[in-house]
Amino acid sequence: MVLFFAFSSIGVAMETLLFYAAYHGAGMNGPLGANVAKAQSILLASAFRFLVYRTWVFQHRASAQHALQEPRRSA
């Protein structure tokens, strides 16, 4: 649970910083530009969260389910 909240916080910070960089740094400060910058920051942060959750946060649960679903072989 600690990993989930830690990586969620990193994702929120990443989304905020990406939006700030696009809005102020890239000059996307009009209504359309702000919406495009927000959509891009959401997509990038969501991809980061997906990869991190799959790799570290929910890793043990997936391997335990895989072990339960394997058919047992008798000799």
Side-chain angles (χ1 to χ4, degrees):
M1 194 156 76
V2 172
L3 285 175
F4 177 80
F5 285 113
F7 287 126
S8 292
S9 299
I10 292 170
V12 168
M14 184 176 160
E15 183 179 330
T16 304
L17 290 173
L18 286 170
F19 177 72
Y20 181 83
Y23 189 81
H24 294 288
M28 300 177 88
N29 51 8
L32 180 62
N35 284 327
V36 169
K38 187 64 175 175
Q40 288 176 345
S41 66
I42 288 171
L43 286 172
L44 290 172
S46 295
F48 166 78
R49 286 184 193 112
F50 172 76
L51 293 172
V52 169
Y53 292 164
R54 185 184 66 176
T55 305
W56 286 297
V57 176
F58 297 112
Q59 178 182 13
H60 298 108
R61 183 122 176 128
S63 63
Q65 284 181 345
H66 187 301
L68 291 174
Q69 293 176 355
E70 284 186 15
R72 296 184 182 187
R73 298 177 189 167
S74 56

